[in-house]
Amino acid sequence: RFRKRAQKENESVDTFIAALRMLSLSCNFRDSVDDNILSRVIEKCYDGYLHEKLLQHGDTLTLEKAQTLGIEHAKKRWL
């Protein structure tokens, strides 16, 4: 189920990450939970602009930074 989960159209990045974290509990990720969640967020981010922003950070992107970028992008969309 973790690998099939994609962000829904009106779902915030926070909610998406929380759902992935819950789904990861049934996986055997051990020390790589955040890395697996980050990969999923990058791969299945619904918003094309945010997806590109995440990719621009390359190997320096962390899950925390992806979450921050998602929050900032959502705020800008609703201004």
Side-chain angles (χ1 to χ4, degrees), residues 19 22-23 25 28 30 33-34 41-42 48-49 55 58 74:
M22 290 299 295
L23 290 171
L25 295 175
N28 192 19
R30 295 192 180 138
V33 173
D34 283 0
V41 169
I42 294 168
Y49 177 81
L55 289 175

Side-chain angles (χ1 to χ4, degrees), residues 5-42:
R5 182 63 160 86
Q7 186 179 21
K8 298 172 185 165
E9 184 176 352
N10 292 315
E11 183 176 43
S12 72
V13 171
D14 282 341
T15 302
F16 183 40
I17 290 172
L20 289 171
R21 193 165 296 284
M22 290 299 295
L23 290 171
S24 74
L25 295 175
S26 63
C27 300
N28 192 19
F29 293 145
R30 295 192 180 138
D31 296 334
S32 62
V33 173
D34 283 0
D35 290 339
N36 278 280
I37 292 173
L38 178 58
S39 294
R40 201 77 198 142
V41 169
I42 294 168

